[in-house]
Amino acid sequence: MVLRLPRQVESDPRGPQLLRNLATHTRLLWPGSETRIPAAGMTPELAEALRSAHCAGRVVRSLENAERLLAAEERGQRMADRQSGVPRGARVSRLLLLANDGAERFYRQIDTLLGSHGPRVLAVLLEMDEHGLGGLLFGPGQVARLLMVEHKEAVGSVLLAMAGQWEQSGGGSAA
């Protein structure tokens, strides 16, 4: 399956390289999984893009809230597709950012979620634990294992904020 990023990202000069990096710098979601997801570090640019998305009300916290929202959106999209008679294209419109210290059960649930919502949801494993991720947006002592960025402009901004980090690290695909 070909990953289709938001148009904002595809039209950006960094878009093609970002797409290659997202496909190259991956990890297995959990040890027994066949699903590979991109792995990224937290950079100042990414932190700022996340804060901006959060301030704009475009960040959903927790797996349960993300599951609920994605299921409701899926129902709405199916109804709209039936009414229009034209299925919509498969393009990333939601971004799941995952802390790297979750239990295997958590990552299995993410695997199921990705299978259910296919190409419109992209998951990225951050090199940051739940305390760091929670503290970034919600304050000291707060935790977040999963943040879902919603709305295509916010998703595009967060993805573009990741664009240069792999060139800086010079690393290859993670195991």
Side-chain angles (χ1 to χ4, degrees):
M1 182 183 80
V2 175
L3 182 63
R4 293 187 63 212
L5 299 176
R7 285 185 179 92
Q8 163 192 1
V9 176
E10 286 182 350
S11 66
D12 189 279
R14 299 166 288 178
Q17 185 63 42
L18 174 62
L19 187 58
R20 281 189 295 278
N21 285 332
L22 290 171
T24 303
H25 299 275
T26 63
R27 291 201 178 142
L28 287 174
L29 187 53
W30 51 278
S33 177
E34 294 181 13
T35 303
R36 296 188 72 83
I37 65 169
M42 181 57 68
T43 63
E45 295 83 5
L46 179 54
E48 184 56 36
L50 282 172
R51 285 186 195 104
S52 179
H54 180 253
C55 288
R58 301 295 187 196
V59 174
V60 175
R61 182 181 185 184
S62 87
L63 176 59
E64 294 77 19
N65 290 335
E67 285 174 325
R68 196 171 20 260
L69 185 64
L70 287 169
E73 289 173 351
E74 181 77 20
R75 284 189 300 274
Q77 288 176 344
R78 272 186 278 157
M79 286 191 311
D81 288 349
R82 273 196 304 270
Q83 289 175 351
S84 72
V86 180
R88 70 188 72 249
R91 186 178 294 277
V92 171
S93 62
R94 302 294 179 263
L95 181 62
L96 302 178
L97 299 172
L98 312 173
N100 66 358
D101 62 343
E104 184 175 309
R105 179 173 179 251
F106 170 74
Y107 296 115
R108 285 177 186 259
Q109 290 174 294
I110 298 298
D111 214 348
T112 300
L113 185 70
L114 292 172
S116 298
H117 297 284
R120 73 185 186 103
V121 178
L122 173 65
V124 176
L125 182 68
L126 295 176
E127 296 301 327
M128 177 176 263
D129 68 17
E130 65 184 17
H131 296 283
L133 190 55
L136 180 70
L137 297 185
F138 307 107
Q142 298 296 309
V143 298
R145 278 187 208 101
L146 177 145
L147 298 175
M148 182 174 76
V149 181
E150 56 178 350
H151 200 273
K152 59 187 173 185
E153 283 86 15
V155 170
S157 294
V158 170
L159 284 169
L160 288 172
M162 288 185 215
Q165 72 173 273
W166 291 282
E167 285 76 25
Q168 295 167 8
S169 68
S173 184

